[in-house]
Amino acid sequence: MKYPERITENHTSVSEFIILGFSNLPHMEHLLFLLFICIYFITVLGNILILILINVDPALHTPMYFFLRNLSFLEICYTSVTLPKMMANLLSEDKTISFAGCAAQMYFFLLFGATECCLLAVMAYDRYSAICNPLRYAEIMNKTVCVWLAAGSWICGSLVALGHTTFIFTLPFCGSNVINHFFCEIQPVLTLVCGDTYWNEFQIIVAAAFVIMMPFLLILVSYIHIISTILKMSSAKGRHRAFSTCSSHLTVVVLFYGTAVFIYIRPKSSYSLDVDKLLSLFYSVLTPILNPIIYSLRNKDVKGAIRRLGIKREILFCL
């Protein structure tokens, strides 16, 4: 199959990219499609359930769950950027994506990913305020502050995504247009850029380090103060309760940042695209499906809201 090329003044630059995805496993593509459609369905359904619970249960109308509502919405969007196109490619011989489509996919993936980085830092600050300043918590995390913190996360994410996407897609592409990945990820796309990309790679690593590490450092500082405060509590029950309010968030932070740091903050020479493809699957596909499970199974408030919602449905059914 021939793919059209875009001609520029100095280079023959592709107007389409071919996303390899899992083409090296042709006999498993239909099985993978069934697996991923199940994952997508559970991810969307689980996060929608959390959104519904937070909206309908007054007990969950707190700053912590306001940010969790943002996180659940992010996970739905985050997964929807990559999985539908990946599933379509699994069933089709035409695995192309337009130049503009690839840029749009990268932009939205970075938008939701960078926003989640910032939002996880905001959620850590919320837990710090609740545990270290309980008497002033309502004053510190009032409605206006919460809205501004959430909006700031989205604004920061949009600026990061716009900067990265504009920077990469204004570089000259020529020769191969095959992306060895299941979506338009930064590093696989960067390998298709013409000429020496050392400084491009360096700038992206620096920017990624800032976007990933700054929120992570804020999370780290918050949890140092949180743990210090918890250890000073005289009541074992109080310590357990304080730890339980942080455990879900801390688990999500470890899952999200563990793979993100490994993928983005290292030189291109150490990359193995096949390994990175598997790692990207973990943080872009598996982490969003785990978040609703983590926040429902490890959170008494959410489990209580599920029970209360069940009781309300039974009452409505009897009426």
Side-chain angles (χ1 to χ4, degrees):
M1 183 182 294
K2 294 183 178 180
Y3 296 93
E5 294 184 333
R6 181 165 57 88
I7 308 299
T8 62
E9 185 177 351
N10 298 317
H11 299 282
T12 301
S13 180
V14 296
S15 60
E16 288 183 331
F17 294 104
I18 304 170
I19 299 179
L20 282 185
F22 301 96
S23 300
N24 58 327
L25 303 170
H27 302 297
M28 295 185 63
E29 287 188 325
H30 287 84
L31 181 63
L32 289 171
F33 172 82
L34 293 175
L35 173 64
F36 288 134
I37 199 170
C38 289
I39 290 174
Y40 184 60
F41 178 76
I42 295 170
T43 299
V44 173
L45 190 64
N47 282 290
I48 287 176
L49 176 61
I50 288 180
L51 289 172
I52 292 172
L53 289 172
I54 294 173
N55 283 329
V56 302
D57 197 315
L60 301 183
H61 292 177
T62 64
M64 175 181 173
Y65 294 104
F66 170 76
F67 296 126
L68 178 56
R69 182 166 54 186
N70 276 267
L71 182 64
S72 292
F73 178 72
L74 265 176
E75 298 294 22
I76 294 171
C77 298
Y78 193 57
T79 311
S80 298
V81 170
T82 56
L83 269 179
K85 178 62 177 175
M86 179 173 67
M87 291 187 293
N89 285 347
L90 287 170
L91 296 181
S92 173
E93 292 185 4
D94 182 7
K95 303 183 187 301
T96 61
I97 185 171
S98 68
F99 190 87
C102 189
Q105 188 180 55
M106 181 181 291
Y107 170 80
F108 285 108
F109 183 80
L110 291 173
L111 166 63
F112 300 130
T115 302
E116 184 163 344
C117 282
C118 297
L119 191 64
L120 289 174
V122 168
M123 294 174 77
Y125 175 70
D126 172 69
R127 292 299 82 207
Y128 161 78
S129 301
I131 293 171
C132 300
N133 296 286
L135 299 179
R136 297 185 57 237
Y137 177 63
E139 176 187 349
I140 295 171
M141 300 300 294
N142 60 63
K143 186 176 181 179
T144 302
V145 170
C146 290
V147 170
W148 274 108
L149 287 172
S153 299
W154 282 93
I155 292 169
C156 180
S158 64
L159 292 175
V160 168
L162 182 62
H164 271 304
T165 307
T166 303
F167 177 73
I168 291 173
F169 283 90
T170 52
L171 295 172
F173 289 87
C174 60
S176 175
N177 65 339
V178 178
I179 299 174
N180 185 15
H181 213 283
F182 57 88
F183 72 101
C184 292
E185 174 68 291
I186 290 178
Q187 291 299 339
V189 172
L190 194 61
T191 60
L192 306 182
V193 173
C194 298
D196 184 8
T197 60
Y198 173 80
W199 286 108
N200 301 329
E201 177 192 349
F202 177 76
Q203 291 174 36
I204 288 171
I205 290 174
V206 170
F210 179 79
V211 172
I212 295 172
M213 295 309 297
M214 284 300 292
F216 181 76
L217 289 175
L218 291 173
I219 293 171
L220 186 62
V221 170
S222 297
Y223 272 103
I224 288 172
H225 286 286
I226 288 170
I227 293 170
S228 175
T229 300
I230 291 175
L231 293 177
K232 292 176 183 177
M233 294 179 178
S234 56
S235 168
K237 185 178 180 180
R239 288 196 298 270
H240 175 75
R241 184 177 180 181
F243 271 122
S244 67
T245 64
C246 301
S247 60
S248 298
H249 175 259
L250 198 55
T251 304
V252 171
V253 167
V254 171
L255 289 172
F256 183 81
Y257 277 96
T259 48
V261 169
F262 184 77
I263 286 177
Y264 289 111
I265 308 178
R266 58 195 174 112
K268 189 171 67 175
S269 58
S270 64
Y271 281 150
S272 168
L273 290 176
D274 289 330
V275 172
D276 284 355
K277 196 188 298 184
L278 294 175
L279 289 172
S280 295
L281 262 181
F282 186 84
Y283 78 83
S284 64
V285 176
L286 295 182
T287 301
I289 196 177
L290 291 175
N291 285 356
I293 298 171
I294 292 168
Y295 276 103
S296 59
L297 295 181
R298 298 178 60 88
N299 191 299
K300 291 182 179 179
D301 294 335
V302 173
K303 287 190 286 186
I306 292 172
R307 286 194 296 269
R308 287 190 292 273
L309 183 61
I311 292 171
K312 289 178 181 178
R313 284 182 175 178
E314 289 177 7
I315 293 172
L316 289 172
F317 180 76
C318 292
L319 291 175

